[in-house]
Amino acid sequence: MLVKPSLSSLFAPRLNRTNAQAQQPRFISTSRACSLPSSDSSSSSSSSSSSSSSLNRRQFVSQTATLSLSISLAATTGLYEQPAKSEEALSAWERVYIPVDPGVVLLDIAFVPDDLNHGFLLGTRQTLLETKDGGKTWAPRSIPSAEEEDFNYRFNSISFKGKEGWIVGKPAILLHTSDAGESWERIPLSSQLPGDMVYIKATGEKSAEMVTDEGAIYITSNRGYNWRAAVQETVSATLNRTVSSGISGASYYTGTFNTVNRSPDGSYVAVSSRGNFYLTWQPGQVCFFRCHAFWQPHNRAVARRIQNMGWRADGGLWLLVRGGGLFLSKGTGITEEFEEVPVQSRGFGILDVGYRSQDEAWAAGGSGVLLKTTNGGKTWIREKAADNIAANLYSVKFINEKKGFVLGNDGVLLQYLG
């Protein structure tokens, strides 16, 4: 069965030392600095006495000036070396710190529909975290059946429908729960599965769709014990069979999907691994013996290679190109007509777009790029405070209009505040 898919640490030590100096300055004893010569020196000449007195006065003035300057510098330094807290300046997002190793890339997140406080977060290096307070705190979750072998799984996708949930990963692994994630069982998979599982969608009781990076789509209705193919052949087979399709870069194609996204009505859009064309598939036929359900390839309508594609809230498509370009399709549904929308990506690539509503959406990308639109994508405003986030933001996920997350590398997780 196939389915696709702040800087505070830099300044804090100096700030602490500066504050300590400001709070406990080293005062000089004025009595000592202004003291008269001792009785032992009373026999000395008046000129020596005058010179000594003048020296003491100079020392007092010099040391007092030094003290004043030291206190002034301490106050100034404390003023300009306050820890930078970029997360606090974010207008609509809050950084959530999670217990993961550096280098972990977060890949997907999902919550139990009947309990939106209960959710799971997936990533590379067999990262699986669980929250029971709506995403404010996360704790590692262990699944014994996924730890029996010496594999470092990459958990790619998770989905819930009611209390039933699914997880897929690489190397090939399929996990299923029927009690909202309290327990997980591992479902056996065929070694003949074409490609790696990159996406899964829970569609109903005991039912799910699964996609591989070679374009295989599988459907189950009995908790994953049997799967039916929704497409007749992989993308490579389709494109190599139709060498006269007119799709640039499709002839003698060997490769995988770079990304794949599913619309609420079950349609899919996928980007080829090299980004030189994209493919779509719409439901309606399931292959039992013979059928003609194939992926449909499309030429890209832009000069630069495609980075990612997905579905807008109104049913249209968005398209991202390498280098930071954003395009929106004309109208709704599947089309090859797109128009570019100006964005301030600072030259960094935009990697994903997530719609909160028909009008509001967020785009995320490399080096903390975070953009917002409130008019369906016609214009975008950059969230400048996010520039200080030292991470690439790979995915924008909205559970509903009030709950959303941005996932990045190095365990960066942003939670939507509204």
Side-chain angles (χ1 to χ4, degrees):
M1 163 74 188
L2 286 177
V3 181
K4 160 73 181 169
S6 309
L7 298 179
S8 60
S9 62
L10 181 61
F11 301 108
R14 293 181 60 188
L15 176 63
N16 292 338
R17 290 196 300 269
T18 301
N19 289 342
Q21 294 171 355
Q23 293 173 3
Q24 298 180 353
R26 295 170 51 197
F27 292 104
I28 302 172
S29 175
T30 57
S31 60
R32 178 179 180 182
C34 300
S35 61
L36 295 174
S38 62
S39 59
D40 294 337
S41 61
S42 58
S43 61
S44 62
S45 65
S46 60
S47 59
S48 299
S49 175
S50 174
S51 174
S52 175
S53 176
S54 175
L55 177 61
N56 288 337
R57 286 196 297 272
R58 286 196 298 269
Q59 289 175 342
F60 173 76
V61 171
S62 174
Q63 292 173 346
T64 303
T66 302
L67 174 62
S68 176
L69 178 61
S70 175
I71 296 175
S72 176
L73 287 175
T76 303
T77 304
L79 175 65
Y80 288 101
E81 294 190 358
Q82 291 294 333
K85 299 181 180 180
S86 61
E87 296 83 354
E88 291 184 357
L90 292 171
S91 62
W93 301 86
E94 179 182 42
R95 174 80 179 270
V96 179
Y97 292 89
I98 57 178
V100 297
D101 296 330
V104 167
V105 179
L106 304 179
L107 298 175
D108 202 6
I109 189 171
F111 285 77
V112 180
D114 298 336
D115 181 8
L116 291 180
N117 286 323
H118 190 193
F120 293 86
L121 179 63
L122 309 182
T124 58
R125 302 183 186 180
Q126 205 157 320
T127 298
L128 177 59
L129 304 178
E130 182 178 17
T131 181
K132 293 188 177 181
D133 58 8
K136 297 177 182 178
T137 60
W138 297 82
R141 174 65 188 271
S142 176
I143 300 179
S145 59
E147 299 175 352
E148 296 174 353
E149 304 172 3
D150 294 330
F151 289 127
N152 193 0
Y153 288 103
R154 172 192 178 104
F155 293 129
N156 288 321
S157 180
I158 181 172
S159 180
F160 276 93
K161 183 75 172 182
K163 293 184 177 182
E164 196 159 15
W166 305 81
I167 294 176
V168 294
K170 174 186 177 180
I173 185 172
L174 174 63
L175 303 173
H176 172 264
T177 180
S178 57
D179 56 8
E182 295 300 326
S183 62
W184 295 84
E185 63 174 332
R186 185 168 180 175
I187 306 297
L189 292 168
S190 171
S191 60
Q192 303 300 317
L193 187 70
D196 297 314
M197 294 176 294
V198 292
Y199 180 81
I200 193 162
K201 175 66 176 180
T203 56
E205 185 179 359
K206 302 180 181 180
S207 302
E209 288 181 6
M210 180 174 63
V211 181
T212 71
D213 61 359
E214 291 189 10
I217 302 178
Y218 292 106
I219 298 174
T220 184
S221 57
N222 59 1
R223 298 177 61 185
Y225 293 106
N226 299 103
W227 299 87
R228 298 174 298 174
V231 293
Q232 184 176 355
E233 58 190 12
T234 64
V235 172
S236 296
T238 298
L239 297 179
N240 293 333
R241 178 174 52 80
T242 58
V243 293
S244 60
S245 62
I247 304 301
S248 176
S251 299
Y252 303 104
Y253 170 82
T254 58
T256 58
F257 288 160
N258 185 40
T259 63
V260 60
N261 284 293
R262 184 183 188 273
S263 70
D265 66 2
S267 299
Y268 286 90
V269 60
V271 177
S272 68
S273 56
R274 291 177 292 178
N276 52 347
F277 63 95
Y278 66 99
L279 307 100
T280 58
W281 181 86
Q282 293 177 292
Q285 288 182 306
V286 176
C287 304
F288 293 99
F289 300 101
R290 292 182 181 181
C291 72
H292 299 282
F294 306 108
W295 284 90
Q296 178 65 43
H298 302 267
N299 277 312
R300 69 181 191 271
V302 296
R304 285 178 288 176
R305 293 180 181 266
I306 305 171
Q307 177 70 43
N308 194 5
M309 293 183 68
W311 303 90
R312 303 197 306 261
D314 63 1
L317 290 167
W318 52 262
L319 182 151
L320 304 174
V321 297
R322 299 177 184 180
L326 171 61
F327 294 76
L328 300 179
S329 65
K330 297 180 180 180
T332 60
I334 297 173
T335 180
E336 294 184 4
E337 297 184 0
F338 290 82
E339 55 186 0
E340 187 172 7
V341 178
V343 293
Q344 301 175 2
S345 64
R346 300 183 294 129
F348 295 100
I350 303 176
L351 304 177
D352 194 26
V353 176
Y355 275 77
R356 176 176 172 263
S357 64
Q358 290 251 353
D359 296 324
E360 183 180 330
W362 290 82
S367 192
V369 169
L370 197 57
L371 308 168
K372 177 186 180 181
T373 180
T374 56
N375 54 15
K378 298 177 182 179
T379 59
W380 295 79
I381 301 174
R382 180 162 58 93
E383 180 72 76
K384 295 182 179 180
D387 295 348
N388 293 326
I389 299 176
N392 295 326
L393 306 178
Y394 288 108
S395 180
V396 182
K397 302 282 185 180
F398 277 98
I399 312 303
N400 53 38
E401 289 192 2
K402 296 182 179 180
K403 185 181 291 292
F405 296 87
V406 173
L407 285 58
N409 64 344
D410 289 332
V412 170
L413 177 66
L414 305 181
Q415 183 173 15
Y416 182 73
L417 300 176

